[in-house]
Amino acid sequence: MKNVLSIVDMHKTYPGGVHAVRGVSFDVMEGESVAIIGSSGSGKSTVLRCINRLIEPTKGEVRLRGEMINTPNADINDVRSRIGMVFQSFELFAHLRVIDNITLGLRHVRKMSRKHAEREALQVLEKVDMLDRKDAFPGNLSGGQKQRVAIARALAMKPEVMLFDEPTSALDPELIGSVLKTIRGLADEGMTMVVVTHEISFAREVADRVIYMDRGVVAESGPSSIIDSPQTERLKKFLSSISEED
C-alpha cells in the first residue's frame, strides 16, 4: 500500500496560548479509512483544517504523497483540489443551484468547459443519490441532502484523499443515516479518507483504523477493534462517557 498522507509532529497554538494540537503524527495509506474520535476540544477538527491549509500549523509537516504541502510555495488551490473537505455546516453557496455548486470548482480550478463540468457533476450527483435535485437551491434541501451535495462537490474534483469534519453533527437524527450510508459507500469503493466523527458505531464498522485524540495528542490508535477493547484508561473513560450519553 502507498502512503498518501503523512502528518509529522503537528502542533497548533492559537492566539492567547491555547495549544490545541501537541505533536500529532500519523500516516494514511491509499484506500484506508481513518476515523478520528475524541471529546470536544481535543484537537480533531484543528488537525483536519491544518491538513487542508484552512489554518496553518505552528510546527510540523503535512505531506501528500511525499510532497510537503504546508509551505509558502505550495499552491493552496491545488492542495485543496487534491484534498477534498466536507464540513459539518455544508458550506454551499445559497444563491447557486445544486449543479452550479458542484461545477464551480471544476470550471475555475480544473478549467473545465461548462459542458464537461456539468457532465462530471451529474455523475457524482447520481453517486450520492441527489440527481433528481440538481436544479434545486440549497435552501430547498434538507440537512442530509445538503451534506450529500457537499460530498458530491468534493468528489467531483477527484481528490486523492477526502476529509470529513463531523459530517453528521449538524443533522437531525433521522437524516444522519443517509449521509453515513454515502460515506460508507465511498469507503467500500476504496476512497482514502479521514473522518472526524462522534458516531462511534460508524467508526467501528467503517474505519480501518481509529485514532483517539485527547487534549491535543494522539492518546491511542489502532484497528477499529480498539473501540471494543481499549488499551488506555483515557479511551476507556471516553467510551464510557459516550455510552452513558446514549
Side-chain angles (χ1 to χ4, degrees):
M1 292 174 70
K2 295 179 180 178
N3 187 318
V4 176
L5 186 67
S6 290
I7 312 304
V8 183
D9 193 28
M10 179 188 285
H11 291 253
K12 178 61 182 179
T13 303
Y14 287 107
V18 177
H19 203 164
V21 176
R22 305 166 179 265
V24 166
S25 298
F26 62 88
D27 296 326
V28 182
M29 309 305 286
E30 190 162 19
E32 188 178 31
S33 299
V34 176
I36 304 180
I37 62 173
S39 58
S40 178
S42 60
K44 310 183 302 296
S45 294
T46 296
V47 168
L48 286 201
R49 289 172 178 270
C50 285
I51 292 172
N52 206 39
R53 297 287 306 276
L54 289 166
I55 57 176
E56 299 297 333
T58 308
K59 177 186 173 187
E61 298 179 1
V62 181
R63 294 185 174 273
L64 183 62
R65 297 194 184 277
E67 174 191 351
M68 189 168 167
I69 59 173
N70 63 314
T71 69
N73 298 327
D75 182 335
I76 287 184
N77 286 330
D78 177 64
V79 168
R80 290 178 184 164
S81 68
R82 296 170 67 193
I83 302 177
M85 181 99 174
V86 177
F87 302 87
Q88 52 186 287
S89 53
F90 324 127
E91 304 292 341
L92 300 177
F93 292 105
H95 66 289
L96 295 179
R97 297 178 305 158
V98 163
I99 193 167
D100 297 324
N101 264 281
I102 293 171
T103 59
L104 194 65
L106 294 173
R107 291 169 54 216
H108 292 282
V109 178
R110 295 281 193 233
K111 307 301 182 184
M112 287 184 185
S113 67
R114 181 181 291 274
K115 185 176 181 181
H116 187 187
E118 289 188 351
R119 187 163 63 243
E120 294 287 323
L122 294 176
Q123 289 180 1
V124 292
L125 283 171
E126 184 173 21
K127 186 189 247 335
V128 301
D129 197 24
M130 286 296 293
L131 190 57
D132 61 332
R133 305 308 308 274
K134 65 183 176 65
D135 294 316
F137 287 90
N140 295 322
L141 301 178
S142 70
Q145 290 172 328
K146 289 176 186 175
Q147 195 59 293
R148 281 185 282 152
V149 171
I151 292 171
R153 179 179 58 184
L155 286 175
M157 301 296 284
K158 294 184 168 58
E160 295 169 51
V161 59
M162 286 275 283
L163 309 178
F164 295 87
D165 186 11
E166 301 269 17
T168 61
S169 66
L171 302 180
D172 293 330
E174 66 271 17
L175 302 175
I176 290 173
S178 65
V179 172
L180 294 182
K181 180 181 177 182
T182 299
I183 299 172
R184 185 180 285 110
L186 296 177
D188 290 343
E189 292 174 9
M191 169 63 74
T192 307
M193 62 175 72
V194 182
V195 185
V196 167
T197 183
H198 60 276
E199 300 285 344
I200 299 301
S201 61
F202 175 78
R204 179 191 289 112
E205 294 165 16
V206 176
D208 298 304
R209 190 153 47 92
V210 172
I211 294 172
Y212 166 59
M213 287 190 63
D214 182 42
R215 300 174 195 169
V217 304
V218 174
E220 187 171 343
S221 67
S224 58
S225 58
I226 68 170
I227 290 174
D228 296 312
S229 303
Q231 300 301 302
T232 63
E233 287 302 320
R234 291 161 92 171
L235 181 53
K236 288 177 185 176
K237 187 175 180 180
F238 169 71
L239 293 170
S240 176
S241 69
I242 292 290
S243 63
E244 287 171 6
E245 289 175 10
D246 294 343

